[in-house]
Amino acid sequence: MRMVALLALVLTLIGCTGTASGLRIAGSTSLQPVMERLAEGYRKAGGGRVIVQGGGTTAGVQAVLAGVAGLGAASRRLTAAESEQGLVEHIIAWDVLTVVVHPDNPVGRRGLTLAQLQALFRGEVTDWATVGGAPGPVHLVTREAGSGSREAFRSLVGPVSPRAIVQNSAGGIRMTVMGDPRAIGYVSLGVARMGGVVAVPIDGKRPGEPGYPLVRPLSLVTLGPPRGEAAAFLRYIRSPEARRLIMEEGLVPE
């Protein structure tokens, strides 16, 4: 299924290349909201057209390798195999990976330790009462294979139980948790701030506070050194205006 999804995105991008011109950015759905704002800011600053599409980090990386996207949006580090193919990552910001629960879940106020979070997502803790919540089963929500958020969560927290509900976007996780008082998932801080969910403190630290443990780099990926419109867009991202837009999305500019 993962390869089918990747192929579908690449074919979609190929099908669009003859109908619209401009720089194409494909990849992480966690980065998509800020990329859309940056694309509009770039256009207003005199830059060319930028088309933004999601699909997940790995799909974006594959689109760059296939030559149908000039930039891949990545919410994880490149693998050694990807770097060996000539891909270069350009860190543009740092994101706070935010654990979210339903507003009625008392764990949203009390918080979790990192050890409790790990036990929950491994499937070792299956009742909320074990970690200070109301009695009832824990419903884990995670991202699909190939998602940069999933890989970042795995590297920062650990493995996720195969019993977890899988969603194909950060928005999908937020909507699932919004509708289920027993659900717990993870999204970027910007997505969590859209409302309807509560960000869970980890080890006594709220997302965005110094010492909060779940922080990951967000990158744009090129095949070799950036050229043309891709290079111009990356230069724009370092501008004061772009840094302001990045911070408004709950991210920390590089």
Side-chain angles (χ1 to χ4, degrees):
M1 290 299 293
R2 174 182 173 183
M3 292 308 299
V4 170
L6 295 178
L7 181 60
L9 174 63
V10 172
L11 289 175
T12 299
L13 288 167
I14 291 172
C16 291
T17 55
T19 60
S21 60
L23 173 65
R24 296 184 179 280
I25 303 175
S28 169
T29 61
S30 295
L31 266 168
Q32 194 168 353
V34 70
M35 283 297 105
E36 290 171 349
R37 293 195 67 187
L38 290 169
E40 179 62 15
Y42 178 67
R43 185 190 64 79
K44 289 181 178 178
R49 184 184 183 196
V50 179
I51 303 100
V52 179
Q53 185 163 351
T57 293
T58 301
V61 167
Q62 292 300 318
V64 171
L65 286 171
V68 294
L71 291 169
S75 53
R76 61 163 171 80
R77 304 306 295 260
L78 289 174
T79 66
E82 289 167 345
S83 296
E84 288 169 2
Q85 295 179 79
L87 292 169
V88 180
E89 65 182 8
H90 310 272
I91 296 176
I92 63 166
W94 295 85
D95 183 29
V96 178
L97 197 60
T98 306
V99 177
V100 292
V101 295
H102 189 277
D104 291 342
N105 190 331
V107 167
R109 298 185 299 275
R110 297 174 181 171
L112 295 166
T113 67
L114 183 57
Q116 287 174 326
L117 182 64
Q118 291 167 334
L120 281 164
F121 273 89
R122 283 196 300 263
E124 295 171 359
V125 171
T126 59
D127 193 299
W128 279 112
T130 306
V131 292
V138 175
H139 297 161
L140 303 174
V141 191
T142 188
R143 287 292 303 278
E144 79 286 2
S147 159
S149 296
R150 178 176 175 140
E151 289 303 310
F153 189 83
R154 182 194 59 77
S155 66
L156 292 167
V157 177
V160 176
S161 167
R163 296 192 298 272
I165 300 165
V166 176
Q167 290 291 340
N168 291 329
S169 70
I173 287 184
R174 186 176 72 91
M175 294 300 293
T176 300
V177 175
M178 281 176 61
D180 183 354
R182 293 174 175 172
I184 181 171
Y186 53 89
V187 296
S188 67
L189 181 56
V191 172
R193 286 177 172 173
M194 292 179 181
V197 294
V198 174
V200 180
I202 305 297
D203 285 342
K205 301 292 184 179
R206 294 190 175 279
E209 291 181 347
Y212 181 79
L214 308 183
V215 180
R216 59 173 171 167
L218 300 175
S219 305
L220 289 175
V221 175
T222 57
L223 185 57
R227 303 179 184 86
E229 201 80 58
F233 186 74
L234 285 167
R235 286 195 297 271
Y236 166 75
I237 286 177
R238 309 299 181 189
S239 71
E241 170 65 14
R243 290 172 64 84
R244 179 184 66 80
L245 293 174
I246 289 170
M247 288 188 288
E248 286 180 358
E249 289 295 318
L251 307 175
V252 179
E254 171 65 0

